[in-house]
Amino acid sequence: MPPQLNFDCLNLIFKFIIEDDDSPALLYSFSLVNRIWCQAAIPLLWSNPWKFHKTDVNLPWKRSILIRTYFSCLYQESREILINENFFKELFLNESSSSTIKINNNNNSLIKNIQKRPTFEYSKLLRHLKLNSLVYSIKFWIKFNLSSSHSETIYYNALMEMINYLLNKPTCLFTLDIRYCDGEHRRSLQILTDLLESSNGKIKSLLELRNFEYDGGIIPELQQIFKSLSTTSHKIKKMTIYPDIMIENLANFIKVQENLSEVTITHGPTDLWMYYDWKGNEIINTIIERANLITCLILGDIYFPLSFLSLFGNLKELYLKSLYFNENWESLSEIFLPNLQILHFEQKNSELSLLTKFIQNNSSELLQIIIKDEYVETPFLTKDLFIVMTNYCHDLTLYEGPIISNVTNELKEFLISCKNILTLHLHSTNRNLVYENFDDLLNVISQVIPIKLTKLIISGRWTITSNSLELFLKSRENLPSKRKISFYWGSLVNYEGKFRNICRRYQKKGIVDDYGDFLKL
C-alpha cells in the first residue's frame, strides 16, 4: 500500500516528535516502516545523534555503535580520496593482534564492520556537535573493541580524526557544544583549538552556527576558539555569557554576531563576580550595545543592575533566576518592556508588591507568568497579584505561581477574565507544617469551568478531598469542545490512591488526558 503521507508531511511530523521528546527511540521505529519513512526519519535522527536518555542501560553500547558507523563513513572517504591511511592501518593492525576482542552478537570482525559501506552519509546529516559526548562515545567504542595495550594511542588518533571529520564533512552545524571538556577530556579542546587555528576560517560547516555552548571556567583554549569563531561564525542566535571571566576575544565575538537574540548572563565558578562593577565591564557594555536585538534574556545567580533592563526594549522573554541585586528593588517596578510575552521569576523571599507592579506595567502582551517562589514574604499580597492579572492580563495562557486559600473571589474573576488560560500551576505559600484545604479553590474552578484549560497542577502544602476532585472532573463532562484535561498534584497531597482511581475512571470517559504526581513527571 502506498504511504498516505508524503515526504514533506512526514518530515514536519517527525520534527515535532524529535523536538518534543528527549529520546529518539520512537523515530527510529518509524524509520523501519518503509523507504519514504526512512528517508524522512534518518536525517532527523542523525542531526543530533548524542540525544540519549542518560538512564538508558544500553547507552555505552549505543555510543559504541554510533562511532563505529562514523568510522565506516570515514573509511569510505579514506579509500576514495586516500586520506587517513596510517590511522586505519594502525587500527587494523591492533585489531588483528588482539585476541580478546568482543565485537557483536554475530562475531563479525572489526575490519568488516568498518569496511561495510553505510546506507547514508551520516556525517553530512550532523547538525549538533557535542564534543563531550563524542569523547565518551569513542572511549566506549575502544573499550568494547580494542585491547587495553593499544587503546591510548588509538583513542587520541580516533579523537583527532573524528573531530576533524565531523567539523569538515557536515553541510552545516547549528550547535557546537564544548562544555565539560576540561580535566581528562582536555585533549578534545586542544585538538579542536588546533584545527580551528590551522583552518584560518575556512571550515564551511561553521558558517551557519546558531548555538555555541562553553564552560565559564578559566580555560586557555577559549581565547583562540573565540578568535577563530569570530572569523567563521556570525549567525549565533543563542549563547551563555560569563561576564566575570574576562576571556580575550569574547567581546569581539559578541560584536560580530548578526542574529544574537537569546542571551543567558550568569557567573563563572569563582566568587569574584560579587565585587564587579558591571557598568565598567567590557562584556556587559558589549551586550548593552546590542540590547535592542535581544528578545530573550536569562539572568541567573549574578549581580545585574535592574535599571539596565529598560534598555532591552524588544524583549519577549525575561527570566530572572535567583538574582542578587545590587540596587533597590524599586527599579523593577518602574521598568517598561512593551513586547514582553513571558515572565519567569525565581527568587526566594521576593517583594511581591513590586513584582505585581512590574506585571501591571508590562501586561499588554503577557502570555505566560511563572513565579517560582516557595516562600513569598507577604502572601496576602497574592490577592493583589490576581486582581492585576484579572484587570490587565486578558491574553494570559499560563499562570504558575503562589495562591492562598482565601482568594476564591479573586480566582473566580481571574478565570472569567482570562478566557485563554491553558495551564494553571497553583502552589501554596504556607511555611507551616499544618496543611491548608484547597477544596474551596477547586470548587471555584469547577463553577467557572474554564473551557480552554488543559492542565491543572496543585503543589505544596494542600489537602484536597476526593469529592472536590470528582466535582471538578464531572463539571467538564458537557464541555462542547470535549477538551481533555491533565491533572497533577504534589507528592504531599492526601488520598493519592483515591485520586488515581477517580482520574482513571474519567480517563475512560475521555475527560482526563493524564494524571499523577507532577514531581515524578
Side-chain angles (χ1 to χ4, degrees), residues 104-128:
N104 55 32
N105 293 332
N106 295 323
N107 295 318
N108 293 324
S109 71
L110 179 61
I111 297 176
K112 289 182 178 179
N113 274 293
I114 292 179
Q115 290 178 335
K116 185 179 179 181
R117 185 176 293 276
T119 307
F120 294 86
E121 289 189 76
Y122 295 101
S123 54
K124 286 188 175 181
L125 305 177
L126 185 67
R127 296 294 177 265
H128 307 276

Side-chain angles (χ1 to χ4, degrees), residues 113-169:
N113 274 293
I114 292 179
Q115 290 178 335
K116 185 179 179 181
R117 185 176 293 276
T119 307
F120 294 86
E121 289 189 76
Y122 295 101
S123 54
K124 286 188 175 181
L125 305 177
L126 185 67
R127 296 294 177 265
H128 307 276
L129 177 55
K130 191 172 182 181
L131 199 59
N132 183 52
S133 294
L134 175 63
V135 171
Y136 274 117
S137 298
I138 292 175
K139 282 189 172 183
F140 284 125
W141 180 84
I142 288 174
K143 179 180 178 181
F144 291 154
N145 292 279
L146 297 177
S147 64
S148 58
S149 60
H150 304 288
S151 61
E152 190 63 26
T153 302
I154 291 294
Y155 164 69
Y156 180 77
N157 289 338
L159 188 59
M160 184 166 56
E161 294 295 343
M162 276 292 107
I163 291 176
N164 180 72
Y165 185 59
L166 294 181
L167 272 180
N168 284 290
K169 192 62 178 177

Side-chain angles (χ1 to χ4, degrees), residues 5 28 210 329 337 376 385 462 481 508:
L5 297 172
Y28 175 75
R210 302 173 185 175
W329 262 90
L337 302 171
V376 177
L385 174 63
W462 296 108
S481 61
K508 292 179 180 179

Side-chain angles (χ1 to χ4, degrees), residues 481-498:
S481 61
K482 298 294 182 182
R483 187 181 292 266
K484 292 184 180 181
I485 189 154
S486 294
F487 176 66
Y488 304 102
W489 54 83
S491 58
L492 299 178
V493 177
N494 60 342
Y495 302 127
E496 182 171 343
K498 289 186 178 180

Side-chain angles (χ1 to χ4, degrees), residues 4-152:
Q4 299 298 312
L5 297 172
N6 62 29
F7 178 87
D8 292 334
C9 291
L10 288 171
N11 187 258
L12 290 174
I13 294 170
F14 294 168
K15 276 184 180 179
F16 175 81
I17 292 173
I18 204 165
E19 289 172 1
D20 192 57
D21 193 351
D22 288 335
S23 173
L26 182 60
L27 212 56
Y28 175 75
S29 300
F30 290 167
S31 69
L32 304 176
V33 173
N34 59 36
R35 179 177 294 182
I36 293 181
W37 283 53
C38 181
Q39 290 172 343
I42 290 298
L44 295 174
L45 274 170
W46 283 85
S47 67
N48 189 3
W50 329 103
K51 200 173 183 180
F52 295 120
H53 276 310
K54 293 182 179 179
T55 57
D56 189 342
V57 295
N58 294 318
L59 182 55
W61 177 78
K62 289 181 178 179
R63 282 176 163 167
S64 174
I65 295 296
L66 171 63
I67 289 301
R68 190 184 71 188
T69 303
Y70 276 141
F71 273 149
S72 68
C73 295
L74 179 58
Y75 182 71
Q76 297 302 325
E77 185 91 358
S78 176
R79 288 202 307 179
E80 292 173 8
I81 60 176
L82 300 178
I83 61 173
N84 306 308
E85 293 174 288
N86 293 333
F87 168 66
F88 282 106
K89 286 179 180 178
E90 181 182 15
L91 182 64
F92 295 154
L93 178 63
N94 282 302
E95 185 277 333
S96 61
S97 64
S98 173
S99 59
T100 59
I101 299 170
K102 296 181 181 178
I103 303 297
N104 55 32
N105 293 332
N106 295 323
N107 295 318
N108 293 324
S109 71
L110 179 61
I111 297 176
K112 289 182 178 179
N113 274 293
I114 292 179
Q115 290 178 335
K116 185 179 179 181
R117 185 176 293 276
T119 307
F120 294 86
E121 289 189 76
Y122 295 101
S123 54
K124 286 188 175 181
L125 305 177
L126 185 67
R127 296 294 177 265
H128 307 276
L129 177 55
K130 191 172 182 181
L131 199 59
N132 183 52
S133 294
L134 175 63
V135 171
Y136 274 117
S137 298
I138 292 175
K139 282 189 172 183
F140 284 125
W141 180 84
I142 288 174
K143 179 180 178 181
F144 291 154
N145 292 279
L146 297 177
S147 64
S148 58
S149 60
H150 304 288
S151 61
E152 190 63 26

Side-chain angles (χ1 to χ4, degrees), residues 340-485:
L340 192 64
Q341 297 178 0
I342 297 175
L343 171 63
H344 183 120
F345 187 85
E346 194 170 333
Q347 170 76 15
K348 289 186 177 180
N349 299 323
S350 60
E351 183 55 67
L352 196 57
S353 62
L354 296 176
L355 182 60
T356 299
K357 180 66 174 176
F358 175 80
I359 291 173
Q360 181 176 337
N361 290 344
N362 298 277
S363 58
S364 59
E365 300 291 330
L366 270 178
L367 299 176
Q368 296 183 17
I369 296 175
I370 301 168
I371 304 173
K372 292 191 174 183
D373 186 349
E374 297 179 2
Y375 304 114
V376 177
E377 190 69 28
T378 49
F380 67 90
L381 292 175
T382 302
K383 282 190 175 184
D384 295 336
L385 174 63
F386 272 90
I387 290 171
V388 164
M389 292 190 297
T390 297
N391 293 333
Y392 298 98
C393 304
H394 302 298
D395 295 325
L396 208 62
T397 62
L398 181 151
Y399 171 70
E400 176 182 344
I403 195 169
I404 54 179
S405 58
N406 63 347
V407 296
T408 52
N409 291 331
E410 289 77 11
L411 177 61
K412 181 178 180 180
E413 294 301 318
F414 168 77
L415 293 174
I416 293 173
S417 175
C418 301
K419 298 181 182 299
N420 295 321
I421 200 76
L422 297 172
T423 299
L424 275 179
H425 182 172
L426 307 173
H427 61 72
S428 170
T429 63
N430 188 7
R431 300 189 190 191
N432 303 320
L433 295 177
V434 179
Y435 285 26
E436 294 183 276
N437 189 280
F438 195 84
D439 282 358
D440 290 342
L441 295 171
L442 188 57
N443 290 339
V444 166
I445 302 174
S446 303
Q447 293 167 15
V448 177
I449 317 178
I451 294 177
K452 294 187 178 182
L453 186 67
T454 58
K455 185 182 294 184
L456 175 62
I457 304 172
I458 301 168
S459 62
R461 293 184 170 96
W462 296 108
T463 61
I464 307 172
T465 64
S466 54
N467 288 337
S468 293
L469 176 57
E470 180 100 32
L471 178 64
F472 165 65
L473 296 178
K474 190 173 181 62
S475 69
R476 304 186 68 83
E477 279 186 324
N478 298 319
L479 285 179
S481 61
K482 298 294 182 182
R483 187 181 292 266
K484 292 184 180 181
I485 189 154

Side-chain angles (χ1 to χ4, degrees), residues 277-321:
D277 174 17
W278 295 119
K279 294 184 179 180
N281 183 286
E282 181 187 9
I283 296 173
I284 288 292
N285 288 334
T286 303
I287 295 170
I288 289 174
E289 289 173 3
R290 309 177 62 80
N292 281 331
L293 299 176
I294 296 173
T295 58
C296 177
L297 181 62
I298 303 171
L299 304 174
D301 290 327
I302 195 167
Y303 279 115
F304 191 86
L306 291 174
S307 57
F308 284 3
L309 288 177
S310 60
L311 301 174
F312 295 81
N314 290 316
L315 271 189
K316 294 182 179 180
E317 302 178 38
L318 176 61
Y319 297 77
L320 305 175
K321 297 184 177 183

